Amino acid sequence: MSYRPNSRPAVPSARTPGQRDRRAGLCAALLTGSLATLAAIAAAGPAAAAVTGTPVPSGADAARATAQASGESEARVTSAVLDLDHPAGKPRVRGKDVPYDTASIIKVDVLAALLLRAQDAGRGLTGQERTRAEAMIERSDNDAASALWREIGLAPGLEAVNKRLGLSATVGGAGGTWGLTRTTVSDQIRLLRAVFTDDTTSSATGSVLTTTSRNYIRTLMTRIAAGQSWGVSAASDSGAGWALKNGWLQRSTTGLWDINSVGRVTSGTHHYLVAVLSDGNTSMTGGIAAVEHAARTAVTSARAAD
């Protein structure tokens, strides 16, 4: 399958509060499948949460809620950017390169693991695997992600593959809670490099994924559903190509949001790999705005340094 970059759709310059609320509601529903599903998960308790990747409330959530109530809590955001035209260089990191929850950005890693396991077996993906992979990346379908998470061997399977992909600081979520995998922006750049590097790259920065596998992931990342095309795409020039995967997760106890975005963007004459991770956001829309600002700042800084 050939790789054809998508273009960022036009975004209205301003939205009414009602429009913002509808957008946040739509995205939250997309994460869990529906608001009814979210309610069912809450009623069913931890067992249902483990199946879907929705987090079980933690002590850290409660501590953050207390800090927020006392005015001590602030959202965190960390970004990293790498000029893909100089892949042997080091990524430029802004903020503390510490672990964050992945939410749905882990789905790129799950697909890479699935493809690498298929490569090892000397086969392509089955029809069912392709259907699930495409739903997982393009629409961020959680049921598809849970099925493929089990197929790759849960966290141990992910971590075994990640060693081969060069990731060193990503720890899979326990059991079925793939959305609580912890990662850093540096590891996300390593994963993106494994996906977006090409066959002319030196062996030192090359990928264990075949050209066919890399092109498949890239293509799906350009076909993201319109309502999910925010994030690092904001750093692309108008009309330029991008490929991305976003993650968004409202924490059960605090109501605060994890908002993440990773992908490849085009700015000027260069292509950049960009990863932005954030948590502690008081709203989804505010978190998206913070992530997009961080992505634009990271790419502008990288361009100035070229």
Side-chain angles (χ1 to χ4, degrees), residues 3-292:
Y3 171 49
R4 295 187 298 275
N6 205 342
S7 296
R8 177 176 172 81
V11 177
S13 58
R15 295 182 176 89
T16 66
Q19 287 173 319
R20 289 194 296 269
D21 290 344
R22 284 193 295 274
R23 184 186 185 199
L26 172 62
C27 292
L30 284 169
L31 173 63
T32 59
S34 69
L35 293 176
T37 301
L38 181 59
I41 290 167
V51 171
T52 62
T54 303
V56 178
S58 67
D61 284 341
R64 186 175 291 164
T66 301
Q68 185 186 36
S70 63
E72 298 172 2
S73 179
E74 291 184 1
R76 299 186 304 167
V77 61
T78 304
S79 67
V81 61
L82 177 71
D83 187 340
L84 192 55
D85 297 303
H86 301 288
K90 293 183 178 180
R92 299 173 179 273
V93 176
R94 300 174 69 89
K96 294 182 178 179
D97 195 9
V98 295
Y100 289 80
D101 298 326
T102 59
S104 284
I105 62 168
I106 191 58
K107 293 169 181 174
V108 175
D109 204 358
V110 170
L111 179 53
L114 180 71
L115 288 163
L116 191 50
R117 287 165 62 91
Q119 285 177 205
D120 291 344
R123 65 173 180 86
L125 297 187
T126 66
Q128 184 180 62
E129 287 170 336
R130 283 185 173 273
T131 296
R132 286 173 170 167
E134 289 161 19
M136 177 177 72
I137 300 298
E138 295 176 17
R139 302 192 304 277
S140 206
D141 185 275
N142 283 346
D143 290 338
S146 293
L148 295 180
W149 176 251
R150 292 189 294 271
E151 185 169 342
I152 67 169
L154 308 177
L158 182 83
E159 291 166 13
V161 166
N162 279 347
K163 287 182 181 178
R164 298 169 63 186
L165 293 171
L167 280 66
S168 59
T170 297
V171 179
T177 57
W178 44 262
L180 292 184
T181 297
R182 301 280 283 172
T183 194
T184 63
V185 290
S186 289
D187 251 17
Q188 287 303 299
I189 292 294
R190 293 183 184 104
L191 175 60
L192 291 170
R193 193 188 310 221
V195 171
F196 288 95
T197 195
D198 59 38
D199 291 325
T200 64
T201 306
S202 70
S203 59
T205 56
S207 176
V208 294
L209 293 166
T210 65
T211 300
T212 299
S213 292
R214 295 196 308 270
N215 282 343
Y216 184 60
I217 302 174
R218 297 176 189 182
T219 298
L220 298 191
M221 290 175 72
T222 67
R223 291 174 9 193
I224 299 301
Q228 300 177 28
S229 59
W230 45 266
V232 298
S233 53
S236 273
D237 291 339
S238 178
W242 54 260
L244 64 76
K245 183 69 190 79
N246 295 324
W248 58 101
L249 177 66
Q250 187 174 28
R251 299 312 300 257
S252 306
T253 304
T254 65
L256 300 177
W257 289 82
D258 298 334
I259 304 292
N260 305 320
S261 186
V262 298
R264 192 230 63 182
V265 304
T266 301
S267 184
T269 60
H270 286 230
H271 304 88
Y272 299 92
L273 302 180
V274 186
V276 184
L277 306 178
S278 77
D279 62 17
N281 299 285
T282 57
S283 70
M284 182 172 180
T285 50
I288 289 173
V291 164
E292 291 189 338

